[in-house]
Amino acid sequence: MEINLLMSIIEQYGYFAIFFLLWLGIVGLPIPDELVVATGGFLASIGLLNPYYSFLAGYLGVASGLTIGFLLGKYFGRPILRWLSKSEKMRHAVDRSTVMLEKYGTTALCISYLFPVVRHVVPYLVALGGMSYRRYALLSYPIGLVWTTAFYFLGYVFGNNVESIIGIIRKYGFYALLVVVAVLAIGLIVRKVVLGNRAYRAKGE
């Protein structure tokens, strides 16, 4: 889904669109949820959405999607996995998620956010494996908040270019995200230093 189409949908339906697009993404609708969150940030940066409400809609959409994923896994886990495994792409995601859980245990719930599709499958698997909702919530909701914050500010800062940036992150994963965050941090520091120097010169004059 391209950013122009997302912008059109979100402009028309507002915060509810952000919430439901993210909520539907985790239950199987092929929507790049990073782009939904980033588009909310971009529209907030140009004044079409309230920045606080758009961020809140994004996080609530992510959190509700994670909750639904866990509950579906808890009560309908095996039928859902059989259904997912009919698709080669989803079967690969299920296999990758299973290996990740076997290797990293519950930490995989946090790591899975770095990988598209896998982060949607892991909640089913951990619920199916017997993880309590309390433990799941303590692990997943804070990481979901960090994830939402990262992509929201990417959209807020990079605007129309965010689609290309997210494409690189989805392709190259964690290392690309680190590079983008580092560039963003350096840019903010440089901007602060430049503005500080200008203010100092103006005061001196």
Side-chain angles (χ1 to χ4, degrees):
M1 184 176 288
E2 296 181 353
I3 190 169
N4 290 333
L5 177 56
L6 274 175
M7 285 176 61
S8 177
I9 294 171
I10 294 173
E11 281 183 55
Q12 185 172 359
Y13 298 104
Y15 311 109
F16 291 105
I18 297 175
F19 176 86
F20 282 111
L21 287 171
L22 290 166
W23 182 82
L24 290 169
I26 202 162
V27 293
L29 200 65
I31 297 173
D33 36 11
E34 303 99 327
L35 195 55
V36 176
V37 174
T39 301
F42 172 46
L43 292 176
S45 73
I46 59 177
L48 292 178
L49 293 178
N50 180 288
Y52 302 106
Y53 293 156
S54 60
F55 176 81
L56 183 61
Y59 178 61
L60 290 177
V62 169
S64 64
L66 290 170
T67 304
I68 295 294
F70 180 85
L71 294 176
L72 287 174
K74 186 175 181 64
Y75 296 107
F76 308 101
R78 296 194 184 282
I80 286 177
L81 284 179
R82 284 196 296 269
W83 177 72
L84 289 175
S85 296
K86 292 179 180 179
S87 162
E88 184 177 348
K89 180 181 178 181
M90 293 304 298
R91 185 164 58 250
H92 174 70
V94 171
D95 293 341
R96 191 176 185 185
S97 302
T98 303
V99 170
M100 191 180 293
L101 282 167
E102 290 173 351
K103 186 174 182 179
Y104 299 107
T106 54
T107 308
L109 192 59
C110 306
I111 300 171
S112 67
Y113 274 82
L114 300 172
F115 305 99
V117 185
V118 170
R119 64 172 166 265
H120 295 164
V121 175
V122 168
Y124 297 126
L125 295 179
V126 296
L128 188 60
M131 179 182 285
S132 69
Y133 174 74
R134 181 180 178 183
R135 181 168 178 76
Y136 174 77
L138 287 172
L139 287 168
S140 63
Y141 295 152
I143 297 299
L145 180 60
V146 172
W147 182 91
T148 304
T149 302
F151 283 100
Y152 180 86
F153 278 103
L154 281 177
Y156 196 93
V157 173
F158 291 105
N160 270 328
N161 298 314
V162 76
E163 186 173 8
S164 300
I165 293 169
I166 288 175
I168 294 171
I169 292 172
R170 287 174 72 91
K171 184 175 181 179
Y172 296 104
F174 178 67
Y175 296 107
L177 180 59
L178 277 181
V179 170
V180 170
V181 170
V183 170
L184 179 59
I186 291 168
L188 291 174
I189 291 169
V190 170
R191 183 173 181 270
K192 186 175 181 180
V193 170
V194 170
L195 291 176
N197 287 338
R198 286 178 181 173
Y200 178 77
R201 289 197 200 99
K203 188 176 179 180
E205 293 173 357

